[in-house]
Amino acid sequence: MSMTGMPRFRKIWSTVQVGVLAVAVVFCIVMLVIGQGKLDRVYAVAAVFFGLALIGHSTYLWLIARGDRSRS
């Protein structure tokens, strides 16, 4: 357990998810730019969904890092 009360693997897992979500958002944006016709709406919704999840996980990691610095 870390100082935050969360298991250490949670921070590692969240970091992995940030990387995967960033790739997913970039992929969706590229597919929108290229233009897949009928799937444009799907990629737009996926980009928003993955973007919101990316913001959430990034915020979590930022808050954990900020909390660790203030305890030091």
Side-chain angles (χ1 to χ4, degrees):
M1 289 275 210
S2 66
M3 298 279 288
T4 62
M6 295 293 288
R8 184 174 294 162
F9 74 87
R10 177 67 180 119
K11 184 177 177 184
I12 295 168
W13 179 240
S14 195
T15 304
V16 169
Q17 287 176 331
V18 164
V20 171
L21 287 167
V23 169
V25 169
V26 169
F27 173 77
C28 289
I29 290 171
V30 167
M31 294 307 282
L32 279 169
V33 170
I34 291 173
Q36 292 294 315
K38 295 178 183 178
L39 293 178
D40 282 347
R41 192 175 294 169
V42 173
Y43 288 122
V45 171
V48 170
F49 177 76
F50 291 141
L52 289 173
L54 179 62
I55 290 168
H57 283 285
S58 299
T59 303
Y60 168 77
L61 291 173
W62 177 71
L63 289 172
I64 293 298
R66 192 175 110 188
D68 288 345
R69 277 183 290 188
S70 68
R71 287 190 181 107
S72 301

